[in-house]
Amino acid sequence: MKIKFWGVRGSIPCPGPLTVKYGGNTACIELRLNDPERLIIIDAGSGIRELGNHMMAHDLPRGPIRTEIFLSHTHWDHIMGFPFFVPSYLPTTKLKVHGPFNLEGESLEEAMAGQMTYRYFPIRKDWLAADINYIELKEGQIDLKGGVTLRTKYLNHPIMCLGYRFEYNGKVVCTAHDTEPYRNLFAAGPDDPSHDETMAAEGELIAGEQNKALEDFFTGADLLIHDAQYTREEYETSKKGWGHTSIEHACETASRAQVKHLVLFHHDPMRTDSQLDRLAEIHCAPGRYGDMKITLAREGLELEP
Ligand SMILES: [Zn+2]
Ligand SMILES: [Zn+2]
């Protein structure tokens, strides 16, 4: 498998002189297999625009390429590039768009169409000429054919959000954007009138089990691309419940899951290149978590697990 990062930010694109090195586009990752007529894309943030342009210049002149998009969820930073993905305007394109089913009573297709109404964009979804299939996923295992197996796992985020585990040719690539550690929802503290000893103990147990299940999902991955929007200090002081993970928690989780290479992803849009360089010095130093390699995602980064 070959991976290329086209967008590594969370929340909103942040182009400008302070984000040149790591890039300002939101989530989009390309995954290539040995089959040159097939392409997997994880998330359709603003980075997918450049990927689409790259496909137009390099892939599509040789013929159509079967394209499968896997959306972690439909928050805007993960779908905003879709209307600018030029291959979807070609009648020769076969496109499958996968994403989590949701509890809001709206299909995945309707959620994607929502940003392509006249109020927000001049072109409607129905004008996309490609043959597009929308496929809603739940937790489970799917045979994607051609030797690719996909496992999916719900993450802890304000809307339905899926982590992915792709297995191909003996290699494993996992993604977890966006997610927050599970917390004890009944830990009111002994001084709080609503405190219930039994509920607090039960809540602690459940949160622990949920975090362990996610860790198990990543077990032995050759590559794990994980939400790391905040530092632990930022998370503990003001970001609890925002749906994201600290760098430290991502590293500890990956280390326990015996991941070989962790890529820290979904950088906060406020983070400048020099701040990210500093975080890399601290958290990506060799040997910090045994043999596990740790890298900060940046636009253009290519990896071959
Ligand atoms: Zn996000
Ligand atoms: Zn999100």
Side-chain angles (χ1 to χ4, degrees):
M1 283 189 272
K2 281 188 183 162
I3 308 279
K4 185 170 180 182
F5 291 81
W6 293 87
V8 303
R9 292 281 166 176
S11 309
I12 192 163
C14 53
L18 300 179
T19 57
V20 172
K21 180 174 173 182
Y22 291 89
N25 281 304
T26 64
C28 180
I29 297 167
E30 167 190 353
L31 198 161
R32 297 260 178 184
L33 310 167
N34 289 337
D35 181 351
E37 292 175 4
R38 186 176 185 190
L39 171 64
I40 289 174
I41 300 171
I42 307 156
D43 277 333
S46 66
I48 201 173
R49 187 183 68 87
E50 274 297 319
L51 169 54
N53 294 345
H54 176 88
M55 290 168 67
M56 293 297 289
H58 297 95
D59 293 298
L60 300 177
R62 294 200 297 263
I65 179 165
R66 296 194 316 282
T67 306
E68 295 149 86
I69 297 178
F70 290 84
L71 302 169
S72 58
H73 61 312
T74 52
H75 273 166
W76 203 31
D77 51 326
H78 298 256
I79 64 166
M80 59 167 56
F82 187 67
F84 299 88
F85 182 59
V86 177
S88 66
Y89 291 85
L90 305 180
T92 46
T93 296
K94 277 197 187 320
L95 183 60
K96 287 182 181 171
V97 180
H98 307 75
F101 94 105
N102 69 70
L103 298 170
E104 285 86 44
E106 191 182 47
S107 70
L108 175 66
E109 183 168 359
E110 286 165 339
M112 294 302 284
Q115 65 172 345
M116 298 186 76
T117 56
Y118 285 133
R119 183 175 290 270
Y120 303 115
F121 195 67
I123 298 168
R124 298 180 60 185
K125 178 191 73 75
D126 295 342
W127 295 5
L128 300 177
D131 175 7
I132 306 178
N133 273 299
Y134 294 86
I135 299 149
E136 295 186 9
L137 302 176
K138 293 184 177 177
E139 212 170 70
Q141 181 168 325
I142 306 154
D143 179 2
L144 294 179
K145 307 283 190 272
V148 188
T149 302
L150 173 69
R151 284 173 59 202
T152 57
K153 173 99 186 66
Y154 293 128
L155 303 176
N156 188 28
H157 203 54
I159 63 167
M160 296 303 270
C161 186
L162 282 174
Y164 293 119
R165 181 182 171 105
F166 295 92
E167 302 188 3
Y168 177 71
N169 257 354
K171 296 285 183 183
V172 175
V173 173
C174 291
T175 62
H177 7 121
D178 307 351
T179 194
E180 175 168 0
Y182 291 94
R183 285 180 292 131
N184 183 353
L185 298 176
F186 304 105
D191 300 332
D192 192 300
S194 68
H195 179 70
D196 179 317
E197 196 79 29
T198 313
M199 291 288 277
E202 183 79 359
E204 201 61 36
L205 194 70
I206 291 169
E209 283 172 359
Q210 288 172 314
N211 285 323
K212 177 69 170 65
L214 191 54
E215 219 172 280
D216 291 345
F217 182 70
F218 303 141
T219 296
D222 296 279
L223 185 70
L224 167 62
I225 302 161
H226 200 293
D227 182 345
Q229 182 145 350
Y230 304 123
T231 63
R232 176 160 280 156
E233 193 190 348
E234 289 164 346
Y235 177 77
E236 294 291 341
T237 51
S238 59
K239 305 296 185 190
K240 277 188 183 170
W242 288 38
H244 299 288
T245 302
S246 71
I247 293 171
E248 290 88 339
H249 184 89
C251 292
E252 289 158 8
T253 299
S255 175
R256 282 195 297 270
Q258 297 186 307
V259 166
K260 294 182 186 68
H261 187 177
L262 168 67
V263 176
L264 301 168
F265 185 75
H266 205 274
H267 305 314
D268 193 273
M270 295 293 284
R271 209 79 85 193
T272 64
D273 285 336
S274 57
Q275 287 170 340
L276 286 168
D277 279 343
R278 178 75 191 120
L279 289 172
E281 276 171 30
I282 298 168
H283 299 284
C284 304
R288 194 172 161 90
Y289 291 89
D291 293 337
M292 184 172 75
K293 192 175 174 194
I294 305 174
T295 306
L296 286 196
R298 63 177 160 74
E299 259 173 59
L301 175 67
E302 293 184 62
L303 299 170
E304 198 165 347

